[in-house]
Amino acid sequence: MKGTLYIISSPSGAGKSSLLKALFEQHNNDNSMYLSVSHTTRPPRPGEVDHVHYHFVTVDEFKNLIERQAFYEWAQVFDKYYGTSRELVQQALQNGQDVFLDIDWQGARQMRKMEPEAKSIFILPPSLEELRQRLVKRAQDSEEVIANRMNKAQREISHYNEYDYCLINDDFDQTLNDLWSIINANRHTRVIIENNEGKTLENLLAGYDGQDDQS
Ligand code: 5GP
């Protein structure tokens, strides 16, 4: 039994964190999903909890983890380091959980090379103006800071065409529904059913002699 690896990327302000939070609240009663907690060298924002939102580490600690090959992938996003722990992700996949990585386009590229069966999903804002409004609402920053964030967002958006799925987050509930549809549909693909329900299929064909195969 092996879970599916989902790579989720988006520019900041597109609603990725809220969507993932709601996805887990509504659909993870059976513990079938695992959200990877990354390591980062950036400081915690207000309300962020160490080991819940990120493992917050120093640059030296991060470099040490790179040397020990503890990361599945890592990247420098703007001027901070971010990395995905290899062991926990592999363990969750082996346990049959669907694993979600909230990572940037650079990490997504690395993961696709190592795990070509991973599904990647890009979450987009409905428009640049809407994204701007969301960034302005989020913090009372100066025009310059907002302009800088918009520029970073557009840099991330420019990689949307490397992803399998794109969700335009105009209506939150609709987007959440669409996200769940992707996951649920994948759970019903023949390959996954063969992997996870091999015994059921075997039992259903018990005693059958394959007589229709000649047609
Ligand atoms: P933030 O600092 O706003 O939480 O995240 C900034 C960016 O870093 C986001 O695009 C987020 O997806 C990305 N990110 C978070 N964790 C990882 C990681 O482990 N690897 C990579 N490559 N990117 C990450």
Side-chain angles (χ1 to χ4, degrees), residues 19-32:
L19 282 167
L20 284 172
K21 187 166 175 276
L23 176 74
F24 272 68
E25 279 168 5
Q26 293 186 19
H27 296 287
N28 199 29
N29 288 339
D30 56 359
N31 203 28
S32 57

Side-chain angles (χ1 to χ4, degrees), residues 13 18 36 46 52 58 76 78 86 92 95 112 117 121 149 167 179 190 204:
S18 312
S36 167
V52 174
T58 63
Q76 204 171 350
F78 309 115
R86 180 191 299 278
N95 287 343
R112 272 189 215 102
E117 284 169 14
I121 304 175
R149 291 207 179 143
L167 297 176
L179 178 58
R190 179 176 49 77
L204 285 170

